[in-house]
Amino acid sequence: MPNHTQPKLISGNANLPLAQAISRRVSMSRGMSVGLVDARVERFNDQEIFVEVYENVRGEDMFIIQPTSNPANDNLMELLIMSDALRRSSAARITAVIPYFGYARQDRRTKARTPISAKLVANMIDVSGIDRVLTMDLHATQIQGFFDIPVDNLYAAPVFALDIRHKFKKKLDKLTVISPDVGGVARARELAKRTGSALAIVDKRREKAGEVAEMTVIGDVKGQTCIIVDDICDTAGTLCKAADVLMDAGAKEVHSYITHGVLSGPAVERITKSSMKSLVITDSIEPTEAVQKAENIRIVPTAPMFAQAILNIWNGTSVSSLFDHEALAAIYEGTY
């Protein structure tokens, strides 16, 4: 274990409620107050970002809690500038806790003369002085290879499994987990395995980005309670259409579990009016007022998992232990 008495947490402006929740959970586990480091992250009149850390961080094990969600560029620059401020203040180690890793969908070249922006962002994080990255449900797991520093990628599936077992405990024998595309089968299979459910796929064919021309259900969903699982929901057009296709195929009801609720544009309105009975997201992205008011959108907390992961990194123990059902159930005791 390091010689430091406790890890030091600092947050940007991207998701302060999550950072505060993580701080409270770390404090509970340590039996002492582990508050967020006092700092200011603000903008000059020309929108340049300025960071000043008011506490001594020399030789400390620092954790920057900052998802790079909308506005992605501002939040990314906050992360990089905070890292530079800590590095120049002689922090011993800097870990970037990025619950939602923006630009992850640009992980390969799909057409000629296009960038691989996820790799560019990884390079920027590398050179900013960050020593380690802790994130959750990367859009593509191979993004870990874009970094030249250690990356710990947590998964929402174990938490979703706890939630499903709690909310659908009388319907577990009638559950079918749905992958909304062929690329998400591994994620859906993992959740189906954890809940003891059947597996089906909604195969989709896109004419162009953001538009789905045709959807087909692969598997029997008649009379089943369907659980669509995916990592990102942006405008919710594909998700709502998948729910309609499943209902047309004879599903009894449709629920969705999505790790990162980007929910931009008309997403909330579409979900509210859709045939989906509920949408469950995590708080990796700070929910808007519209999301909080939506009756069929529910938020699952990730602070217990991130807090334990931070403590495990700080004291040099296994992070992958958090993938175990029993370990996670203990962390979420009182919630489920």
Side-chain angles (χ1 to χ4, degrees), residues 26-44:
V26 172
S27 298
M28 289 171 59
S29 298
R30 294 287 299 145
M32 62 176 68
S33 177
V34 184
L36 297 174
V37 168
D38 190 17
R40 64 173 173 143
V41 182
E42 58 185 36
R43 282 158 180 75
F44 294 136

Side-chain angles (χ1 to χ4, degrees), residues 169-189:
K169 55 187 173 183
K170 296 182 179 179
K171 303 178 182 178
L172 289 175
D173 59 334
K174 289 290 185 180
L175 282 184
T176 298
V177 175
I178 309 294
S179 173
D181 52 48
V182 175
V185 170
R187 183 182 297 107
R189 186 187 296 116

Side-chain angles (χ1 to χ4, degrees), residues 92-240:
R93 182 174 66 172
I94 303 170
T95 300
V97 182
I98 312 175
Y100 170 70
F101 183 77
Y103 286 100
R105 286 176 283 182
Q106 299 185 49
D107 61 335
R108 63 191 185 279
R109 295 185 67 192
T110 56
K111 296 179 181 178
R113 297 173 296 282
T114 57
I116 304 178
S117 302
K119 171 58 177 169
L120 174 62
V121 171
N123 289 345
M124 293 168 69
I125 289 173
D126 281 349
V127 301
S128 72
I130 289 170
D131 299 295
R132 189 181 200 97
V133 170
L134 173 63
T135 186
M136 181 173 66
D137 268 353
L138 286 170
H139 185 62
T141 55
Q142 64 265 26
I143 291 175
Q144 295 173 81
F146 290 175
F147 291 86
D148 294 323
I149 56 177
V151 177
D152 291 305
N153 184 32
L154 302 178
Y155 298 99
V159 183
F160 285 163
L162 287 174
D163 190 85
I164 290 169
R165 286 182 174 278
H166 177 72
K167 296 293 182 181
F168 300 94
K169 55 187 173 183
K170 296 182 179 179
K171 303 178 182 178
L172 289 175
D173 59 334
K174 289 290 185 180
L175 282 184
T176 298
V177 175
I178 309 294
S179 173
D181 52 48
V182 175
V185 170
R187 183 182 297 107
R189 186 187 296 116
E190 177 64 21
L191 185 60
K193 180 181 177 181
R194 288 178 178 272
T195 57
S197 307
L199 178 66
I201 303 168
V202 175
D203 183 43
K204 63 188 178 186
R205 177 170 57 85
R206 291 185 184 272
E207 292 293 339
K208 57 182 179 179
E211 294 185 9
V212 179
E214 183 181 345
M215 283 186 167
T216 306
V217 178
I218 302 174
D220 184 14
V221 298
K222 191 172 183 180
Q224 295 288 99
T225 297
C226 293
I227 307 288
I228 302 174
V229 59
D230 207 353
D231 63 323
I232 297 174
C233 177
D234 192 347
T235 60
T238 302
L239 185 65
C240 292

Side-chain angles (χ1 to χ4, degrees), residues 2 4 18 33 42 49 55 94 150 177 218 249 258 268 287-288 304 307 320:
H4 316 114
L18 176 59
S33 177
E42 58 185 36
I49 296 168
E55 298 180 25
I94 303 170
V177 175
I218 302 174
I258 309 294
V268 176
T288 62
S320 61

Side-chain angles (χ1 to χ4, degrees), residues 3-8 30 32-35 60-61 314:
N3 293 324
H4 316 114
T5 57
Q6 61 191 25
K8 290 275 190 175
R30 294 287 299 145
M32 62 176 68
S33 177
V34 184
E60 297 287 356
D61 196 358
W314 170 71

